[in-house]
């Protein structure tokens, strides 16, 4: 084989000419994990199911600041949004409120939202009934954690028009009484249909979690050892550009920046 032929063949090589960066590797691994895990049918009338990105976890406590050496940290950014909009109607996202209201899933709007989430998850009556936690509503959009078993949980958002989406998440973990973990975060949609989400576990003394991002102050829902929050018009890469503040039952508070949380990511 001549050098000239080798040179011409090299131009057709799809492999990158330089070593990929850490961010590029993360994006490739996230996309691969998503494609391999997606066994849903391509179309569902009630909404879109999106899978958990490649996730790691970090934590901080009031006593010791950021806790190093833990197993996981959230990946920078989430799954790609839908072009020109999002999986939830922009008119519904526009009704968002920074403080959530508790959602009663036994009747009315709460019951309808639970039905949407279970339909998106492919639930049928022959399956064991799941447990619902962290059920809240911000404007016209409800969110909740659907727990199928000890190690099987999903985060769901449901709009009042019957559309919804769901993401597989990690189960809660036991942490120090004054600690919080950031299990996953990301962004979905685009333009006026874009929204961000973040969630994790909390210790028994954590009373409140507040996220500040893109000029918004978001009060999370804290229940049963977990905190959840979502908001529109956040960072398009799914990062927390501001701070996360924990308030304990004794009134003590401590804040950490989103950058500091992400900086704890293990190599």
């Amino acid at each position: 084989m001549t050098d000239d032929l080798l040179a011409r063949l090299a131009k057709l090589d799809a492999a990158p000419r330089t070593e990929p960066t850490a961010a590029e590797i993360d994006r490739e691994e996230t996309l691969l994990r998503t494609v391999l895990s997606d066994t849903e049918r391509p179309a569902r009338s009630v909404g879109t199911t999106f899978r958990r990105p490649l996730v790691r976890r970090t934590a901080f406590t009031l006593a010791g600041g950021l806790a190093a050496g833990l197993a996981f940290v959230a990946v920078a950014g989430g799954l790609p949004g839908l072009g020109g909009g999002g999986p939830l109607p922009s008119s519904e996202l526009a009704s968002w409120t920074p403080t959530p209201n508790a959602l009663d899933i036994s009747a009315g709007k709460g019951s309808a939202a639970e039905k949407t989430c279970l339909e998106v998850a492919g639930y049928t009556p022959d399956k064991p009934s799941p447990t619902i936690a962290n059920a809240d509503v911000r404007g016209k959009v409800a969110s909740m954690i659907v727990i199928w078993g000890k190690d099987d949980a999903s985060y769901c958002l449901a709009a009042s028009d019957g559309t919804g989406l769901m993401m597989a998440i990690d189960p809660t973990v036991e942490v120090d009484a004054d600690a919080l973990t950031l299990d996953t975060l990301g962004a979905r949609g685009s333009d006026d249909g874009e929204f961000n989400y973040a969630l994790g576990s909390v210790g028994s003394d954590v009373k409140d979690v507040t996220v500040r991002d893109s000029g918004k102050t978001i009060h999370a829902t804290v229940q049963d050892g977990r905190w959840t929050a979502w908001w529109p018009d956040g960072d398009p890469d799914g990062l927390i550009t501001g701070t996360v503040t924990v308030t304990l039952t004794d009134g003590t508070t401590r804040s950490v920046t989103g950058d500091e949380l992400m900086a704890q990511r293990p190599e």
Side-chain angles (χ1 to χ4, degrees):
M1 186 176 294
T2 66
D3 291 342
D4 179 62
L5 178 58
L6 288 174
R8 284 183 289 167
L9 289 174
K11 294 181 180 179
L12 302 178
D13 189 358
R17 297 175 183 272
T18 60
E19 290 296 322
T21 65
E24 290 171 337
I25 292 173
D26 269 344
R27 286 195 295 270
E28 292 169 358
E29 290 179 347
T30 298
L31 179 59
L32 178 61
R33 183 72 61 84
T34 302
V35 171
L36 293 177
S37 66
D38 192 356
T39 58
E40 298 292 329
R41 293 183 179 182
R44 302 185 68 92
S45 61
V46 295
T48 303
T49 299
F50 61 105
R51 301 291 180 173
R52 177 179 58 196
L54 182 62
V55 181
R56 302 185 179 124
R57 178 181 290 120
T58 190
F60 72 92
T61 68
L62 295 184
L66 287 169
L70 297 182
F72 298 92
V73 165
V75 70
L79 301 181
L82 303 180
L88 297 176
S90 58
S91 59
E92 304 257 312
L93 296 178
S95 69
W96 177 86
T97 59
T99 300
N101 291 310
L103 185 67
D104 182 4
I105 61 172
S106 65
K109 181 185 293 186
S111 178
E114 181 189 20
K115 181 175 182 293
T116 295
C117 288
L118 295 184
E119 286 179 351
V120 173
Y123 173 77
T124 56
D126 60 301
K127 298 179 180 179
S129 296
T131 300
I132 304 297
N134 292 67
D136 64 23
V137 60
R138 299 176 186 267
K140 297 181 179 179
V141 179
S143 70
M144 64 188 71
I145 300 292
V146 182
I147 304 169
W148 304 98
K150 180 180 179 181
D151 298 319
D152 191 357
S154 300
Y155 181 49
C156 178
L157 284 86
S160 65
D161 67 350
T163 57
L165 65 161
M166 180 171 285
M167 176 179 65
I169 60 174
D170 288 325
T172 56
V173 295
E174 291 187 10
V175 296
D176 291 341
D178 61 352
L180 169 146
T181 72
L182 174 61
D183 296 342
T184 189
L185 64 115
R188 283 286 288 173
S190 61
D191 302 326
D192 58 359
E194 187 270 335
F195 66 91
N196 291 50
Y197 58 89
L199 55 133
S201 300
V202 292
S204 58
D205 288 345
V206 175
K207 179 182 179 181
D208 182 69
V209 176
T210 302
V211 178
R212 292 177 176 84
D213 176 70
S214 303
K216 292 181 173 63
T217 298
I218 305 102
H219 298 281
T221 293
V222 178
Q223 180 187 346
D224 297 334
R226 194 191 295 272
W227 67 277
T228 57
W230 71 271
W231 60 99
D233 303 320
D235 180 73
D237 291 327
L239 302 176
I240 295 176
T241 59
T243 60
V244 177
T245 300
V246 163
T247 302
L248 299 184
T249 53
D250 64 2
T252 307
T253 64
R254 174 73 180 264
S255 296
V256 63
T257 68
D259 287 344
E260 287 174 317
L261 283 176
M262 298 302 294
Q264 290 300 304
R265 177 178 191 165
E267 297 297 333

